[in-house]
Every structure is written in structure tokens, then in C-alpha cells.
């Protein structure tokens, strides 16, 4: 595969008007490239258009305009191949209550035309930790087990791209960690992973690249590290050797004395180099016992970018 597992150009979606609700665009000209082999996060407030985007990729929602290419296959030119390249773990727990996990995987494999000789149901059940439940009815599975079965179903046709729609919303910590371990392992084996999440720390920890969507448009798209760098304000915390009598003073630096005797110096890292902050501290006759810096997290970037809707 080339550089990008997915390429989206000029994507638009307007759902048909309902009774009393006028047609309103859900996606308004989205261009997005998702690099092969990445873990890519789609973030945005409720109603931003994330599910619409994912459902278009999955072939579940028909786009109004634009071009979607998955694993080199244009959705309109090669719909079958583009669909076979992607697996989607949906948000809703829509499982047939009468199928056992193994049967559910076999049915799914059948839908994707995976020949019997190439099916890996037991291997996939083991991967998600459901081997003991292979023959249990879906209705007897716990919520967490159902989620794992949904992940397993997304994997039966061995897709190149795995899409997870809010995979850890409302799940307990143990299951969340298990899901992330699985996702990391699949990614290490070469699978490109796209996920939506409301948990910003999760995106920060899991994703190499992030797109922030707001009101149907991509408002930011960058590596996680670069996005975090955008919020430029940093705070240097200085623990002095002895009590401070004179506070440091320099242009572009705000100083606050904290209750534990430390000093918090806030500055914009692009305007004021860390060295200038340290110099101001030394000039005030302060001997530094310890120093650390704090910086904005994804939550701050996110709020800044989605504040004005
Ligand atoms: P997100 O997943 O980011 O919360 P969605 O893609 O679900 O956002 O929704 C984007 C917009 O499209 C919202 O205004 C939502 O009300 C609308 N929308 C989503 N699905 C439908 C649908 N099936 N019919 C009509 N409008 C919809």
C-alpha cells in the first residue's frame, strides 16, 4: 500500500430532511488522508459528523458528494474491494441473541465471502479472550464480552483498516485496557486503526495522528505531538533552595508564588525561550533546587479549536 490507507476528498453529506427538521449538512467538504500503519484519532464534539464519516467509510451511509479511496480502491469504482479492506466495530451492541460467538463469526465471514479454509474464528475468539464462550448464546454474554465479540466480528475478513467507533465509551477499566492491548497488537502487525473517542487522554496516549472535526469540517489535523505544541503556553515550576525574597521579573513571564514555596512562571514558549525564564530566576538571586515544566494537554487544544461553533 502507498503512503495513505485512506484518502478522502471534498466529502459532503446532507441527510434528507425529516418531518419538521430541515436538511442540514453533516459533512461540509472534508479532505483527509490517513497514513498507512497509523493509529488515527477522530475527535470532535457531539454532532460534529464523526459517525457520519465513519459510516460512509464503512459503506453504511451514502455520501452526497466527494471521493473516498480505501486501500487504493475508490469506493464508487471498486465498492466491493474497498469494503473488503475495512472492518468496523460499531458503537451499538447489535448482536443476534441466538448466535454463539463462533456462529456469529462464521456468519460474518460468510457475508464477506471468506472461504471456509481461510476462516480463523477460533484464533480471533482467542485474540479477544472469548475462547471459553465460543458456544454461549450472545444474550448470555456480559456487556464487555459483547464488545469484544463486536471487535472480533470486525476482524473476520482480515481487513487492512480497522475502524473503532467510541470503542471504550462506558466500559470498565479492565476491558478498556484489554481493548487497547488488542488494538496495539493489531497495529504492530501492520493494521491501520481509526478510532473516535471522547476520552482525550486516550487519544493522546493511543493516536499518532489526530483530526479534530467540528460542525462537519476538519478544523485541525496533525500529529498528536504537534497538536499539543500548538498550545504554546508553558509553566515552569521552580523549587528554590531557600525562601524567595525578590520575585523574578522579565517581559513575557508571569510569576505566581505557590503555597508550597515554589514559583510558577508562565510564558509563551515561542516568544520566550526557557533560557530567558531561567535567567530571570537567576537574576533575582534564586538558587534552583528543582525545576519542572507543565504544558497544555489535548483538552486545551480541543477546547480552543471547538469553542466557537
Ligand atoms: P458525531 O458522530 O460527531 O456525534 P454525527 O455524524 O452522528 O456526529 O452527526 C452529524 C450531524 O448529522 C448531526 O447534526 C446529526 O443530527 C445529523 N445526523 C446524523 N445521522 C443522521 C440521520 N440518520 N438522519 C438525519 N440526520 C442525521
Amino acid at each position: 500500500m502507498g503512503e495513505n490507507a485512506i484518502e478522502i476528498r471534498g466529502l459532503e453529506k446532507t441527510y434528507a430532511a425529516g418531518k419538521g427538521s430541515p436538511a442540514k449538512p453533516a459533512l461540509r467538504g472534508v479532505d483527509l488522508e490517513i497514513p498507512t500503519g497509523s493509529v488515527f484519532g477522530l475527535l470532535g464534539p457531539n454532532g460534529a459528523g464523526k459517525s457520519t464519516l465513519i459510516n460512509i467509510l464503512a459503506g453504511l451511509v451514502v455520501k452526497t458528494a466527494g471521493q473516498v479511496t480505501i486501500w487504493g480502491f475508490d469506493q464508487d469504482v471498486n465498492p466491493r474491494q474497498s469494503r473488503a479492506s475495512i472492518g468496523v466495530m460499531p458503537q451499538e451492541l447489535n448482536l443476534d441473541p441466538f448466535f454463539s460467538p463462533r456462529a456469529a463469526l462464521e456468519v460474518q465471514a460468510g457475508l464477506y465471502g471468506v472461504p471456509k479454509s481461510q476462516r480463523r474464528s477460533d484464533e480471533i475468539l482467542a485474540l479477544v479472550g472469548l475462547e471459553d464462550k465460543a458456544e454461549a448464546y450472545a444474550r448470555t454474554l456480559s456487556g464487555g464480552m459483547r464488545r469484544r465479540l463486536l471487535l472480533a466480528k470486525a476482524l473476520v475478513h482480515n481487513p487492512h483498516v480497522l475502524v473503532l467507533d467510541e470503542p471504550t465509551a462506558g466500559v470498565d477499566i479492565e476491558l478498556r485496557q484489554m481493548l487497547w492491548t488488542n488494538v496495539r497488537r493489531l497495529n504492530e502487525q501492520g493494521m491501520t486503526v481509526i478510532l473516535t473517542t471522547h476520552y482525550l487522554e486516550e487519544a493522546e496516549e493511543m493516536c499518532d495522528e489526530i483530526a479534530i472535526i467540528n460542525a462537519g469540517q476538519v478544523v485541525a489535523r496533525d500529529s498528536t505531538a504537534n497538536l499539543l505544541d500548538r498550545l504554546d503556553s508553558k509553566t515552569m515550576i521552580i523549587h528554590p533552595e531557600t525562601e524567595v525574597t525578590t520575585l523574578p521579573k522579565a517581559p513575557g513571564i508571569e510569576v505566581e508564588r505557590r503555597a508550597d514555596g515554589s514559583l510558577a512562571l508562565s510564558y509563551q514558549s515561542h516568544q520566550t525561550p526557557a533560557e530567558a525564564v531561567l535567567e530571570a530566576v537567576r537574576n533575582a538571586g534564586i538558587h534552583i533546587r528543582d525545576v519542572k515544566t507543565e504544558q497544555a494537554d489535548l483538552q486545551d487544544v480541543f477546547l480552543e479549536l471547538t469553542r466557537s461553533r
Side-chain angles (χ1 to χ4, degrees):
M1 185 30 39
E3 207 180 316
N4 296 316
I6 290 187
E7 291 182 354
I8 295 169
R9 301 247 178 282
L11 186 61
E12 292 178 24
K13 175 65 189 179
T14 302
Y15 290 100
K19 275 198 203 95
S21 58
K24 194 179 117 218
L27 292 177
R28 303 184 293 156
V30 168
D31 295 314
L32 197 58
E33 290 171 352
I34 298 182
T36 303
S38 62
V39 178
F40 193 96
L42 278 180
L43 303 183
N46 268 332
K50 303 179 296 293
S51 302
T52 300
L53 180 58
I54 281 183
N55 286 333
I56 291 172
L57 292 178
L60 299 172
V61 164
V62 180
K63 62 187 186 288
T64 305
Q67 190 186 26
V68 173
T69 306
I70 303 173
W71 211 249
F73 298 111
D74 185 315
Q75 219 177 29
D76 296 328
V77 181
N78 299 101
R80 227 167 46 83
Q81 289 93 328
S82 86
R83 212 167 76 89
S85 304
I86 196 165
V88 179
M89 176 183 171
Q91 223 180 95
E92 332 80 71
L93 302 172
N94 55 346
L95 289 164
D96 188 319
F98 298 106
F99 281 142
S100 68
R102 186 182 280 128
L105 295 196
E106 288 293 320
V107 169
Q108 184 82 354
L111 286 175
Y112 275 92
V114 181
K116 279 224 154 58
S117 63
Q118 287 174 26
R119 294 188 188 169
R120 307 172 300 135
S121 300
D122 288 323
E123 184 189 325
I124 295 171
L125 288 174
L127 175 82
V128 299
L130 280 180
E131 63 271 50
D132 295 347
K133 296 285 176 184
E135 296 302 342
Y137 282 132
R139 65 163 187 270
T140 68
L141 301 178
S142 70
M145 291 174 186
R146 289 176 200 208
R147 293 248 179 191
R148 287 188 259 161
L149 181 52
L150 288 175
L151 173 61
K153 278 179 74 179
L155 297 172
V156 291
H157 57 295
N158 203 13
H160 296 293
V161 182
L162 174 66
V163 179
L164 310 162
D165 194 2
E166 293 276 353
T168 56
V171 311
D172 62 33
I173 292 177
E174 204 182 329
L175 177 61
R176 185 179 295 190
Q177 268 160 4
M178 196 234 161
L179 283 169
W180 288 130
T181 308
N182 277 327
V183 166
R184 282 212 179 91
R185 197 177 303 148
L186 291 164
N187 181 247
E188 277 159 18
Q189 290 164 6
M191 202 174 270
T192 303
V193 179
I194 304 170
L195 61 104
T196 67
T197 178
H198 272 96
Y199 299 106
L200 295 171
E201 318 95 80
E202 192 164 86
E204 214 170 311
E205 191 190 318
M206 292 294 302
C207 301
D208 314 312
E209 312 240 353
I210 287 175
I212 296 181
I213 300 191
N214 193 36
Q217 289 179 312
V218 175
V219 293
R221 182 243 184 275
D222 213 330
S223 69
T224 310
N226 282 347
L227 267 183
L228 292 173
D229 269 356
R230 275 195 188 199
L231 264 206
D232 179 36
S233 56
K234 286 200 172 175
T235 304
M236 192 182 287
I237 315 290
I238 302 277
H239 290 272
E241 281 291 357
T242 53
E243 203 183 326
V244 173
T245 46
T246 317
L247 289 182
K249 244 185 117 171
I253 304 175
E254 257 176 57
V255 186
E256 180 202 334
R257 200 195 291 261
R258 291 191 173 172
D260 63 356
S262 65
L263 295 180
L265 299 102
S266 306
Y267 59 102
Q268 303 293 315
S269 56
H270 288 119
Q271 286 164 15
T272 310
E275 180 50 37
V277 181
L278 289 170
E279 196 180 295
V281 172
R282 282 188 227 107
N283 287 346
I286 297 167
H287 294 281
I288 300 170
R289 178 164 54 81
D290 196 12
V291 60
K292 66 176 190 213
T293 57
E294 293 173 353
Q295 57 190 356
D297 62 11
L298 202 51
Q299 176 87 37
D300 301 307
V301 182
F302 184 75
L303 285 176
E304 176 165 303
L305 287 165
T306 57
R307 202 161 26 202
S308 53
R309 274 198 73 172

